[in-house]
Amino acid sequence: MIIKSKKVFTPNATSDLLVASTIKILKKKSDILDLGCGTGFVGLTICKNSRFKNNYYFSDISLKAIALCKKNAKKNNIKIEAKIGGILRPWKNKKFDIIVESVSGIAQKVAKVSPWYTNNIPCDCGEDGTLLVNKVLKKSANYLKKNGKIIFPIVSFSNKKKILRIAKKYFKKVKLITSKDWPLPKSMYSKSKLLNQLKKKGIINFKTKYGLILYTSDIYIAY
């Protein structure tokens, strides 16, 4: 069980997809970093469902998130190392087998009208949602062991092409693991005009089907 807080990002459907994708690619005991961990849901759920006795590390820019992550680890009797800090700064001279990237990655204007970033939860990811993700992709290769991998989501409420362009610049191989469409939260339909404007500008993308607005979560692996 994971304790949640209104002041820390609440895991969503993309978080579940990220967990399932990571478990799928794990082939050996690994040092795993949950980067942008929030409640710790991703890393802790991987731990509870992995057949390997991995070592788990967590970091987030939010002090409240790290405190809650530690509380959740203790509640689930999972030994972890958790540090506060932006991007990969807390992990100087440390390398990992797997980095699971969970930093905010949707366009700023979408974040402000979404149910995911209420109560002043930070989402400083830029106009097109690529700012933090691309910072991670540019630096993460230096924090991976030989044959190490980074697993990261791209939500279609960001500029997917721009993120993939950076990923392919810094990694030899970038592969799609899985993709899934989700219905837009009902509370966001009143902002459909804004969403259409952002889509027209090429900042975000989404589908419409049977009167529903669908956004997409893609999970990628890079190495």
Side-chain angles (χ1 to χ4, degrees), residues 9-10 15 19 23 25 36 59 88 96-97 131-132 139 143 157 171 180 195 220:
F9 180 82
T10 298
S15 306
V19 168
I23 292 170
I25 64 98
S59 60
L88 288 147
F96 305 94
D97 297 292
L131 182 63
L132 297 179
K139 295 182 179 181
Y143 294 82
F157 287 142
F171 292 90
K180 191 165 183 176
L195 298 179
Y220 282 88

Side-chain angles (χ1 to χ4, degrees), residues 74-90:
K74 186 175 181 179
K75 184 176 180 65
N76 287 276
N77 197 30
I78 296 172
K79 184 180 178 181
I80 70 167
E81 184 175 345
K83 296 184 178 183
I84 184 170
I87 311 298
L88 288 147
R89 284 192 291 272

Side-chain angles (χ1 to χ4, degrees), residues 197-208:
Q197 289 173 346
L198 294 173
K199 181 180 180 180
K200 190 174 182 179
K201 291 179 180 179
I203 292 174
I204 67 170
N205 197 14
F206 56 84
K207 306 170 186 176
T208 54

Side-chain angles (χ1 to χ4, degrees), residues 50-85:
S50 174
R51 68 181 188 274
F52 302 108
K53 293 183 178 180
N54 306 300
N55 298 312
Y56 293 92
Y57 304 84
F58 297 77
S59 60
D60 197 287
I61 198 169
S62 165
L63 182 60
K64 292 183 178 69
I66 290 299
L68 186 55
C69 176
K70 289 179 178 179
K71 187 174 182 179
N72 278 321
K74 186 175 181 179
K75 184 176 180 65
N76 287 276
N77 197 30
I78 296 172
K79 184 180 178 181
I80 70 167
E81 184 175 345
K83 296 184 178 183
I84 184 170

Side-chain angles (χ1 to χ4, degrees), residues 184 188-198 206 213:
L184 185 76
M188 293 179 69
Y189 272 84
S190 62
K191 305 298 181 181
S192 57
K193 183 179 179 180
L194 169 65
L195 298 179
N196 279 299
Q197 289 173 346
L198 294 173
F206 56 84
I213 295 175

Side-chain angles (χ1 to χ4, degrees), residues 19-27 177-178:
V19 168
S21 300
T22 304
I23 292 170
K24 183 179 178 181
I25 64 98
L26 274 174
K27 304 297 181 184
I177 301 177
T178 191

Side-chain angles (χ1 to χ4, degrees), residues 7 14 35 73 88 90 133 176 184:
K7 296 181 179 180
T14 301
L35 180 61
L88 288 147
V133 177
L176 178 67
L184 185 76

